[in-house]
């Protein structure tokens, strides 16, 4: 298969309520995928962008200039979403040793998500690249304006510190073969504030979770996580799976799918006050690429996503193999990855082979803590994976290799915690 730049590839229609509800859904569906790393880039499209937001914008090599248009963006979209581990003075107390140790100084890309929106019929795929992935890193421009040296094999999470957001985009573009037109970055503090703005996210834990590194102690059941604890759930490595970044990535997808269902519920979409709070929070906590400061562009991206059903929003883990030179690192499984890129380029519906069983289990009745559980507000019609396919969809989903794990936003899953010690 040719490893050159691939054109971005390309659902259907859900119910169409009032114009206001339609706008709310437009904003919310976009926020589903962007908020997973704490970056709700498009949820503020109905509001003025502040000067602070624009002033912090970062230029990308593959940036796409989009002509003014009130319709959906033409063609497909590739957007990079980066979660940064930068230590901010406001939150240094919460992170203790992590932010007080000089050896931990700097800023790494803790989470790397590539959001792909296909052309018609529209589908959304979010690919997680683990931070322990060893890849070639191209020459970038550092904070002092100097060109860095190319590196043949280094962990992907050094790219943010090496050359900023554009360096992360250049590296993932090289790994994936896709042009990345848009990007956004959010810090740990931004994740906490944005999660608080929507009132938290419900997560299901099958066996309880205990992680001394993050302080998480959660019994089995469903918990509404906000702020600091939502972030620690997303960061936990030792509370789930085998303690690796791969298990953490799958654990994050439990959060993502739950977030998607909440965003299309009345709790968020039907609450203008919540959306306004979310908009203001995002503008203060997100660093975008320069084109993402355009309200017109954001509306176009949102319109491209507004009718995508939850079963066509997929979260997948980039396929990897153990690094033969370092058992604590991983390298690309290019054979499996090529099948994923080919399906996206051909705009074929995909079927994820499965989840990492050590980190995620199918949702089953579990002991629930009434004090931490909110009644479900999800509309079953928008989350039923067995719903009839949307007219116009291409027939027959592509079965991805077993090494491409993940789930759709329609699937309800639980974190397979390592047990509750409290």
């Amino acid at each position: 298969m040719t490893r050159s730049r691939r054109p971005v590839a390309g659902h259907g229609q859900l119910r169409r309520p009032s114009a206001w509800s339609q706008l709310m859904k437009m904003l919310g569906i976009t926020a589903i995928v962007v908020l997973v790393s704490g970056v709700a880039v498009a949820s503020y499209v109905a509001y003025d962008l502040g000067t602070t937001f624009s002033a912090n914008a970062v230029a990308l090599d593959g940036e796409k200039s989009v002509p003014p248009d009130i319709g959906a963006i033409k063609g497909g979209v590739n957007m990079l979403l980066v979660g940064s581990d930068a230590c901010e003075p406001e939150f240094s107390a919460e992170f203790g040793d992590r932010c007080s140790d000089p050896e931990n100084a700097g800023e790494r890309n803790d989470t790397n998500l590539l959001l792909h929106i296909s052309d018609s019929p529209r589908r959304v795929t979010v690919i997680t690249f683990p931070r322990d992935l060893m890849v070639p890193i191209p020459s970038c421009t550092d904070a002092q304006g100097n060109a860095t040296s190319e590196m043949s094999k280094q962990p992907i999470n050094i790219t943010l510190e090496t050359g900023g957001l554009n360096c992360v985009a250049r590296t993932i573009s090289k790994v994936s073969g896709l042009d990345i037109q848009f990007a956004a970055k959010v810090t740990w503090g931004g994740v906490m504030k944005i999660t608080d703005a929507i009132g938290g996210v419900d997560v299901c834990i099958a066996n309880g979770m205990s992680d001394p590194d993050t302080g998480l102690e959660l019994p089995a059941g469903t918990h509404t996580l906000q702020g600091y604890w939502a972030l620690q759930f997303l960061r936990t490595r030792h509370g789930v799976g085998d303690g690796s970044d791969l298990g953490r990535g799958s654990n994050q997808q439990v959060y993502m799918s739950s977030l998607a269902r909440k965003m299309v519920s009345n709790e968020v979409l039907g609450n203008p006050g919540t959306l306004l709070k979310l908009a203001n929070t995002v503008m203060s906590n997100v660093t975008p690429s320069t084109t993402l400061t355009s309200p017109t562009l954001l509306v176009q991206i949102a319109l491209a996503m507004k009718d995508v059903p939850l079963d066509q929003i997929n979260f997948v883990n980039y396929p990897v193999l153990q690094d033969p030179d370092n058992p604590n690192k991983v390298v690309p499984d290019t054979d499996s990855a090529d099948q994923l890129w080919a399906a996206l380029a051909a705009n074929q519906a995909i079927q994820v082979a499965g989840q990492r069983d050590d980190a995620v289990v199918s949702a089953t009745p579990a002991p629930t803590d009434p004090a931490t559980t909110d009644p479900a507000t999800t509309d079953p019609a928008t989350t039923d994976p067995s719903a009839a396919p949307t007219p116009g969809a291409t027939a027959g989903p592509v079965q991805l290799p077993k090494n491409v794990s993940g789930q759709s936003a329609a699937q309800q899953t639980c974190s397979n915690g390592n047990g509750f010690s409290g």
Side-chain angles (χ1 to χ4, degrees):
M1 177 176 178
T2 304
R3 298 285 297 160
S4 59
R5 298 277 185 229
R6 295 181 175 80
V8 287
H11 209 112
Q13 299 181 356
L14 299 177
R15 296 173 301 172
R16 304 187 66 175
S18 66
W20 172 251
S21 296
Q22 207 169 340
L23 173 62
M24 294 302 97
K25 182 175 181 183
M26 175 183 74
L27 303 182
I29 284 288
T30 307
I32 289 170
V33 285
V34 223
L35 240 168
V36 295
S37 69
V39 188
V41 174
S43 60
Y44 53 79
V45 298
Y47 307 95
D48 267 342
L49 294 173
T51 56
T52 300
F53 187 77
S54 299
N56 292 333
V58 175
L60 300 181
D61 291 347
E63 209 157 53
K64 181 177 182 179
S65 178
V66 180
D69 193 332
I70 60 171
I73 192 169
K74 302 298 191 297
V77 173
N78 291 316
M79 184 188 300
L80 175 66
L81 311 168
V82 171
S84 158
D85 72 354
C87 288
E88 301 156 292
E90 182 181 356
F91 301 104
S92 59
E94 283 93 334
F95 294 107
D97 293 343
R98 166 62 186 85
C99 292
S100 61
D101 185 350
E103 292 186 3
N104 285 325
E107 181 181 24
R108 287 158 291 276
N109 36 309
D110 202 46
T111 302
N112 309 279
L113 304 172
L114 179 58
L115 164 64
H116 173 78
I117 309 169
S118 67
D119 199 356
S120 179
R122 300 287 189 178
R123 299 184 178 92
V124 174
T125 308
V126 183
I127 302 104
T128 298
F129 293 81
R131 65 180 184 177
D132 294 331
L133 179 66
M134 303 294 284
V135 294
I137 297 177
S139 175
C140 297
T141 302
D142 64 19
Q144 288 72 45
N146 302 314
T148 64
S149 299
E150 291 187 11
M151 293 174 271
S152 60
K153 185 181 180 184
Q154 288 294 323
I156 201 170
N157 75 327
I158 71 166
T159 51
L160 185 61
E161 188 173 24
T162 299
L165 185 60
N166 187 45
C167 193
V168 187
R170 295 191 71 190
T171 302
I172 290 182
S173 180
K174 186 172 183 178
V175 172
S176 66
L178 299 175
D179 288 319
I180 297 175
Q181 308 105 334
F182 314 109
K185 180 191 77 171
V186 68
T187 62
W188 284 350
V191 172
M192 292 190 283
K193 292 178 180 179
I194 292 169
T195 306
D196 282 345
I198 63 168
V201 174
D202 293 344
V203 296
C204 170
I205 300 175
N207 303 306
M209 182 178 292
S210 178
D211 182 358
D213 285 2
T214 60
L216 275 179
E217 291 288 346
L218 299 171
T222 301
H223 303 266
T224 301
L225 300 182
Q226 293 185 259
Y228 179 77
W229 295 115
L231 176 66
Q232 297 299 62
F233 177 83
L234 290 168
R235 293 184 61 230
T236 186
R237 294 176 66 144
H238 303 294
V240 65
D242 57 6
S244 70
D245 193 51
L246 304 181
R248 185 184 74 147
S250 292
N251 183 62
Q252 289 174 347
Q253 291 171 356
V254 173
Y255 181 98
M256 295 179 201
S257 60
S258 178
L259 172 65
R261 294 189 293 272
K262 179 164 185 176
M263 291 301 296
V264 297
S265 73
N266 289 332
E267 193 173 349
V268 176
L269 298 187
N271 190 329
T274 297
L275 287 176
L276 179 58
K277 182 179 180 181
L278 178 60
N280 291 331
T281 303
V282 165
M283 285 190 292
S284 302
N285 292 280
V286 169
T287 300
S289 58
T290 52
T291 47
L292 280 181
T293 62
S294 163
T296 301
L297 169 69
L298 292 167
V299 170
Q300 289 176 278
I301 293 174
L303 286 171
M305 299 178 66
K306 73 182 182 68
D307 286 330
V308 179
L310 291 179
D311 67 328
Q312 291 301 314
I313 300 175
N314 282 284
F315 304 99
V316 302
N317 295 310
Y318 180 77
V320 298
L321 301 169
Q322 187 178 69
D323 185 349
D325 301 322
N326 186 341
N328 295 317
K329 301 295 183 181
V330 293
V331 295
D333 175 358
T334 54
D335 289 342
S336 295
D338 280 346
Q339 294 181 58
L340 171 62
W341 304 136
L344 297 186
N347 192 16
Q348 295 174 292
I350 61 174
Q351 182 175 342
V352 181
Q355 301 150 339
R356 283 178 55 94
D357 294 337
D358 63 330
V360 180
V361 296
S362 297
T364 55
T368 300
D369 181 354
T372 58
T373 305
D374 291 335
T377 57
T378 307
D379 180 355
T382 66
T383 61
D384 181 6
S386 64
T390 305
T394 54
V398 173
Q399 178 76 39
L400 294 177
K402 292 182 179 179
N403 208 21
V404 183
S405 60
Q407 67 181 83
S408 78
Q411 291 175 272
Q412 298 192 34
T413 54
C414 299
S415 293
N416 192 7
N418 61 357
F420 176 58
S421 64

